[in-house]
């Protein structure tokens, strides 16, 4: 789950990181009020930033400066409602504008292959880091945090030197790098990224500050962080993902045309592999989970059919705790309720499979075939998809 900048900054502040003060506004009037307060308190300018879960807001015109309350209101009016890469801006962040002397990039990311947290830094911060990474990979410095002891002071210092940060900011940098690591661990994040980490001129002298923040939380860990889960921005999520999560289904949409309904992640992956081997393309990964009841089956069916690319459906259920008859009932019910008719091949083995077969046969649905083995089911589903694609 990705966090909006204003939420990400809250998590950074909780670990004691230097984040300039900010407010969040949903209307231009609110933005004006916030800007006015900062300007009266001595800020020369304010920065107004679109809060959307996509990068490159600056380039898209979603980050602007304003020198007066009037100007802040005008700028906020422009940014609110703006479309950035397909997302409509609903909120802006308002903050005293920083007087930036230099911009760096610093991030902690989970390196799954190494099974460690990777600290990445670059002296070429501010711009899109993907471009820097592609064109000048050498300018991105990397080191792994110690797997047991975390990010050590000497590692953070090594990164500071690699980025060419003067000794002036060494202590601050070490605190910040360790703070990023702490934010990552405390929240079970996959990514904590600051771009730019800027040297900012302040009345108290030049200081390192986190001007932007991007955090991605491991979805599987959200149960442990209800406060973070509450930061979820449903408006920016794919409705299909929202629906799947509400129903407790793991669903990932793919490019093919064979919808898959399977119980168990391993079986789902095997089913997808077999579809590919038989010359077909799966339209999704879908694990309806253990012990699925008929309402869950119906919800899963609705998700599959919502994808207009789906030309055939393959149901592969290994009845254990999930009972075959319960699933069969769900399938029949879902077939009756569905708006779109797509050929379906069902293979149910295990608990109550005979009863399942009887229920499916009694349904008298001409587009519903059953198969005794997985190979047979896959073969039929691939053939059905080809046939209905030709017919369409
Ligand atoms: P992004 O484009 O979505 O990554 O948004 P950022 O928050 O990183 O802003 C993009 C750029 O706007 C930064 O690299 C800065 O150059 C500039 N910017 C952001 N905040 C401020 C600020 O407070 N003062 C000034 N002068 N520039 C800022
Ligand atoms: Mn940025």
């Amino acid at each position: 789950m990705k966090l909006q900048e204003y939420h990400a900054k809250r998590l950074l502040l909780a670990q004691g990181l230097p984040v300039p003060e900010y407010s969040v506004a949903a209307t231009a009037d609110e933005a004006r009020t916030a800007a006015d307060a900062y300007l009266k308190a001595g800020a020369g300018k304010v920065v107004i930033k679109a809060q959307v879960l996509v990068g490159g807001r600056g380039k898209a015109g979603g980050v602007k400066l304003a020198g007066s309350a009037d100007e802040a209101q005008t700028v906020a009016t422009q940014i609110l409602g703006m479309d950035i890469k397909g997302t409509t801006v609903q909120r802006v962040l308002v903050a005293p504008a920083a007087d930036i002397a230099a911009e760096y990039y610093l991030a902690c990311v989970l390196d799954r292959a190494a099974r460690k947290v990777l600290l990445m830094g670059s002296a070429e911060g501010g711009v899109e880091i993907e471009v820097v990474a592609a064109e000048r990979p050498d300018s991105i410095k990397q080191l792994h945090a110690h797997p047991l002891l975390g990010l050590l002071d000497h590692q953070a210092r090594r990164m500071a030197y690699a980025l060419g940060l003067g000794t002036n900011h060494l202590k601050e940098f070490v605190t910040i790098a360790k703070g990023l690591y702490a934010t990552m661990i405390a929240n079970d994040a996959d990514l904590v990224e600051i771009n730019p980490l800027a040297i900012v001129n302040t009345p108290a002298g030049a200081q390192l500050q986190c001007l932007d923040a991007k955090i991605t939380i491991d979805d599987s860990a959200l149960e442990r962080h209800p406060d973070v889960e509450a930061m979820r921005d449903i408006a920016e999520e794919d409705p299909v993902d929202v629906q799947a999560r509400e129903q407790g289904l793991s669903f990932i949409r793919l490019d093919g045309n064979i919808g898959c309904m399977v119980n168990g992640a391993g079986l789902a992956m095997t089913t997808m592999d077999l579809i590919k081997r038989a010359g077909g393309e799966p339209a999704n990964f879908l694990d309806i989970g253990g012990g699925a009841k008929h309402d869950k089956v119906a919800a899963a069916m609705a998700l599959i059919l919502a994808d207009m690319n789906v030309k055939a459906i393959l149901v592969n259920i290994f009845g254990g705790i999930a009972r075959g008859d319960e699933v069969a009932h769900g399938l029949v019910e879902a077939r009756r309720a569905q708006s779109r008719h797509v050929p379906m091949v069902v293979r149910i083995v295990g608990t109550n499979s005979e009863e399942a077969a009887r229920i499916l046969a009694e349904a008298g649905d001409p587009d519903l075939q059953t198969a005794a083995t997985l190979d047979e089911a896959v073969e039929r589903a691939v053939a059905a998809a080809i046939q209905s694609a030709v017919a369409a």
Side-chain angles (χ1 to χ4, degrees):
M1 180 179 90
K2 288 183 182 175
L3 297 185
Q4 296 286 5
E5 177 187 0
Y6 68 98
H7 285 138
K9 283 183 166 172
R10 215 202 281 167
L11 298 188
L12 295 182
L13 284 166
Q15 299 298 327
L17 285 156
V19 175
E21 59 179 332
Y22 64 89
S23 314
V24 183
T27 67
D29 281 339
E30 282 172 26
R32 182 198 177 92
T33 306
D36 198 39
Y38 292 133
L39 294 165
K40 285 202 174 117
K45 282 186 171 184
V46 292
V47 63
I48 299 185
K49 307 175 70 177
Q51 296 299 286
V52 284
L53 296 175
V54 291
R57 294 165 303 166
K59 280 193 177 164
V63 178
K64 291 204 166 94
L65 299 176
S68 69
D70 280 344
E71 199 185 347
Q73 183 160 21
T74 309
V75 166
T77 306
Q78 286 166 3
I79 297 179
L80 286 164
M82 179 187 269
D83 180 288
I84 300 183
K85 297 179 187 168
T87 304
T88 307
V89 180
Q90 315 265 17
R91 275 175 227 92
V92 290
L93 179 149
V94 183
D99 175 7
I100 300 173
E103 296 186 316
Y104 295 85
Y105 172 93
L106 190 65
C108 276
V109 56
L110 184 62
D111 182 344
R112 290 177 193 276
R115 291 183 284 174
K116 290 173 187 168
V117 170
L118 183 69
L119 181 71
M120 294 171 59
S122 173
E124 298 188 47
V127 291
E128 281 172 87
I129 197 68
E130 293 80 3
V131 177
V132 177
E135 290 174 3
R136 291 178 300 284
D138 287 352
S139 71
I140 302 200
K141 311 295 176 194
Q142 311 187 348
L143 59 85
H144 284 111
H146 190 283
L148 299 176
L149 304 175
L151 187 72
L152 301 167
D153 285 38
H154 74 86
Q155 296 183 306
R157 283 198 297 272
R158 190 140 44 88
M159 179 59 81
Y161 288 122
L163 300 187
L165 265 165
T167 45
N168 288 346
H169 298 290
L170 195 57
K171 261 195 170 159
E172 285 167 83
F173 183 88
V174 171
T175 307
I176 290 170
K178 292 178 78 175
L180 287 200
Y181 180 85
T183 305
M184 178 122 179
I185 300 303
N187 299 287
D188 288 313
D190 285 338
L191 169 78
V192 179
E193 181 188 273
I194 311 299
N195 187 28
L197 170 64
I199 299 181
V200 175
N201 297 313
T202 76
Q207 288 176 358
L208 276 175
Q209 292 185 354
C210 306
L211 294 191
D212 188 12
K214 193 186 273 183
I215 294 182
T216 308
I217 308 288
D218 179 344
D219 288 322
S220 304
L222 281 168
E223 222 157 308
R224 306 208 296 197
H225 306 284
D227 47 332
V228 179
E229 169 76 54
M231 296 174 176
R232 186 185 286 285
D233 198 334
I234 285 181
E236 276 200 52
E237 291 189 351
D238 185 336
V240 166
D241 292 342
V242 176
Q243 230 177 322
R245 193 175 53 247
E246 279 169 2
Q247 301 286 349
L249 304 164
S250 3
F251 180 87
I252 294 156
R253 192 178 264 177
L254 301 167
D255 296 331
N257 62 2
I258 301 176
C260 305
M261 188 189 304
V262 188
N263 64 336
L267 191 58
M269 289 201 276
T270 306
T271 306
M272 290 163 60
D273 282 349
L274 291 177
I275 287 175
K276 284 212 163 228
R277 195 179 65 173
E281 287 292 335
N284 63 273
F285 168 93
L286 170 57
D287 172 12
I288 61 171
K293 294 271 190 263
H294 62 96
D295 51 338
K296 222 171 174 185
V297 172
M301 182 70 78
L303 275 180
I304 291 175
L305 286 171
D307 178 355
M308 293 318 263
N309 290 332
V310 168
K311 297 280 182 263
I313 298 171
L314 172 57
V315 179
N316 184 21
I317 300 294
F318 191 88
I321 295 169
R323 287 165 31 204
D325 57 324
E326 179 88 40
V327 173
H329 269 307
L331 289 173
V332 172
E333 198 176 295
R335 292 289 280 187
R336 290 209 182 108
Q338 78 197 24
S339 49
R340 204 157 69 83
H341 248 272
V342 171
M344 184 159 90
V345 182
V346 183
R347 178 223 182 204
I348 298 178
V349 293
T351 312
N352 295 0
S353 61
E354 277 143 41
E355 217 175 326
R358 186 179 52 76
I359 293 163
L360 293 173
E362 280 171 9
D365 183 337
D367 288 330
L368 193 158
Q369 310 176 49
T370 53
T373 70
L374 183 48
D375 283 330
E376 184 191 345
V378 167
E379 221 164 273
R380 288 192 187 179
V382 172
I386 293 169
Q387 214 169 23
S388 71
V390 169

